[in-house]
Amino acid sequence: MESSMVIEVILFGFFMTCAYAGGAADVVLSCTLVEEGVGMGEGSALSRSPATLVFRDIEVGPDESLEMLTPFIPPSVPDPDAILFESKVSSPEIPNADVLLHADCNELEVMCEISRYSPQDSRGDSEPVYFMVSIHVKEVDFSTSLILQTLPLERDQSTLTQSRLGLPLSQTGTLLTDIVFLVFSNVKSVSTPLREDILLDCGFKQQESLPMEEVAVEWRQQYKGKGRRVLSMSTRPADLEGSTVEHNQRGDSSVDATRVVEGNASMTLSKVKVMDEGTYICTVKVGLFHAQQVIQLQVTQPPHVSISNKLVPKKSTQTISCHCVKYYPLDAEMEWLSLSPTDTEPTVLVDHISLSSHRQHSDGTYSLSSHYTVPPSVAPGTKITCHVSHPALDAPLSVSVVVESPKAESYWWVLGFLIITVLFFYQVMR
Ligand SMILES: *[C@@H]1O[C@H](CO)[C@@H](O)[C@H](O)[C@H]1NC(C)=O
């Protein structure tokens, strides 16, 4: 049992190649079929089995090198135990599906999970049967949830039945399906400074769009275990005026109804605040189907950095303060460096430094100050630098002060003293 699983997994690894046939290519993905409480007899435990998903006819760009791609060849002997989904990708198209074509060659990890899906008014076990497929490629922000619908097959002609799912297989041993609905996002995670307007990307496609069919979009936010509905709206392609929008808790958010009917359910948040940070869930419901996408929003506000004194006269002890103001998130690091005129490399200061505690402002941002007490031993001309790193900064920020030489009059005093000494010796020598 276990060894056969291993062989299967290895085979699937080989299967994941790109395949080409006349202007369009086939993509073979290794997926996991997740079922509730099947086998094992453990009630609600989830069972996972390897499955394969073949997308037929993914469109290939004209500049594509086609030698690498071979068409998908089904197993010569149909295997009723193999779970092999086959789907045409022409209508609706999967946006950016060419990412999947090259995922293997670019060593990107494709996450693919398949589970049963029950449409709103499903009448039990009758056909067609639906499956929900979630595909993610993290590195390139590819993410889509799609609903597959099984295609009708003649059951009689000694066709095989898939042993696990009890569904009729095609002549080549595949479960023939169509994509009927999909929700996708091209930008899975966004980070923004405060007070900007930001678009959270979410789109959908369906096999057929009916003018009077209601399209409902809901956006929810999840942050630190708490959820809130940000906005929900519904519209009909043929009746944009009749659209309804309901805001909850967060105003200043919008979804454009004219874009929604074209398949763009993206939400704009105006004047982003710290409390907008979190995970957003975009749910689109059309007819019998609904699917979701998850998008992360991060607030990163760079600090404003300033230093208290511009010039530090060399007197007894002096304290220099470096202020790091109104940043988010909390992870700011402050460091003091010293570069004396005789040094080539600055040294990191560790003594005589004290940090204030973090202050949080009403807008959720933080401030922090660091104080350095300049010891009297520091040579004039030494440059003292406050160095701040923060996730919102591309490069660390630094501000510096220079320890001044002793005041000019003391030079005159030293010079005068020298002249008198020289004159004195001159007299004595004579
Ligand atoms: C939705 O529209 C916005 C604004 O035109 C665009 O930036 C975004 O890429 C679109 N998203 C989808 C999924 O079509």
Side-chain angles (χ1 to χ4, degrees), residues 4 43 68 74 94 98 171 204 215 228 252 263 286 317 352 367:
S4 82
M68 313 274 293
I94 303 176
D98 54 326
Q171 296 297 323
F204 67 96
V215 180
R228 60 168 177 170
D252 260 356
V286 182
T317 50
H352 314 293
S367 291

Side-chain angles (χ1 to χ4, degrees), residues 56-57 87-94 177-182 205-208:
R56 291 281 201 185
D57 301 342
S87 187
K88 271 217 192 323
V89 188
S90 41
S91 168
E93 268 175 34
I94 303 176
T177 61
D178 250 353
I179 299 173
V180 286
F181 183 64
L182 67 91
K205 284 173 184 276
Q206 52 187 325
Q207 200 173 36
E208 52 181 336

Side-chain angles (χ1 to χ4, degrees), residues 184-186 199 201-204 259 263-266:
F184 65 99
S185 175
N186 296 320
L199 183 99
D201 191 60
C202 181
F204 67 96
R259 271 202 233 140
N264 189 335
S266 303

